[in-house]
Amino acid sequence: MTESLIIAIDGSAGSGKSTLAAALAERLGLATLDTGSTYRAMTAAVLHEDLDPANNAATAAFAQAAAIDDLDGTVINAVNYSDELRTAEVNSAVSLVAANPLVRQVLVSWQRSWVALRRGGVVEGRDIGTVVFPDATVKVFLTARSSERARRRPEEGLASIERRDELDSKRESSPLARAEDAMEIDTTDRPVSDIVDLVVASIPKQIHRA
Ligand code: DC
């Protein structure tokens, strides 16, 4: 059996994960999964249901019973949250929902099934190389200067980005962290094509699809 090609991309908000994931997916003919959107959609659904995102038990019970679509995880219980993923309300509540270990259990299991169904993929998030796919083919950990990260997320602003990064890095359950065997790349002044070349070059020959 051939090994699935899984590229794990982790990093803080605005570090360039989505841009790199899209470019890599195109080069390698793989599908991409933005796991941040799954946490955002779950948060939007929790708010939509008038649940308090700080109420861990209620939020976990909701997540455990939720029907999540198998396309990108943004349709929950038949309600499409794709237009609400980046509202100020979701930005301010998502780190709270993502810190809930039972919610993470539900979404991590969904994320693993998503990849299994496609026999591989480019997956971006905060804990992909450390928790979701510790055996990923290649692990990348992206960083970028704060000013550049804020420039990439003008609708959110630096204060909100830094607040989320702080919460996401300090939480107990699967915090944002670089896997020991991840390549760390600063994307601040680096063309995407350079980074794609670097990542593709690190794929072991026997599972190279480019
Ligand atoms: O990538 P993003 O900024 O859209 O992610 C939104 C939030 O989801 C982020 O603040 C933390 C959480 N998240 C997470 O905890 N684990 C992941 N694998 C992806 C995102």
Side-chain angles (χ1 to χ4, degrees), residues 80-189:
N80 188 339
Y81 292 101
S82 56
D83 289 338
E84 291 165 49
L85 301 181
R86 293 181 187 277
T87 62
E89 291 74 19
V90 170
N91 281 340
S92 67
V94 66
S95 293
L96 205 55
V97 173
N100 186 325
L102 294 174
V103 171
R104 298 199 73 79
Q105 211 175 67
V106 170
L107 290 180
V108 165
S109 149
W110 181 92
Q111 292 157 13
R112 289 181 178 144
S113 304
W114 187 97
V115 168
L117 215 62
R118 291 159 181 82
R119 298 194 173 78
V122 181
V123 188
E124 57 157 297
R126 303 292 190 290
D127 60 341
I128 309 305
T130 50
V131 174
V132 187
F133 293 109
D135 298 324
T137 319
V138 177
K139 300 180 186 178
V140 185
F141 189 82
L142 299 183
T143 64
R145 263 201 308 272
S146 297
S147 54
E148 177 60 17
R149 296 194 297 119
R151 193 189 65 76
R152 292 172 183 168
R153 295 277 175 94
E155 73 294 348
E156 181 170 4
L158 186 58
S160 169
I161 288 176
E162 289 187 328
R163 178 185 153 274
R164 279 200 296 126
D165 286 347
E166 165 100 0
L167 292 170
D168 297 339
S169 308
K170 300 223 167 118
R171 70 178 176 226
E172 226 168 86
S173 183
S174 313
L176 165 66
R178 172 189 182 280
E180 261 178 37
D181 51 350
M183 284 191 266
E184 181 163 338
I185 303 171
D186 184 339
T187 67
T188 310
D189 296 312

Side-chain angles (χ1 to χ4, degrees), residues 29-57:
L30 291 171
T32 58
L33 175 62
D34 173 3
T35 62
S37 291
T38 67
Y39 288 95
R40 287 177 178 276
M42 189 57 74
T43 304
V46 163
L47 297 173
H48 177 85
E49 294 295 320
D50 277 332
L51 296 171
D52 176 0
N55 182 336
N56 275 350

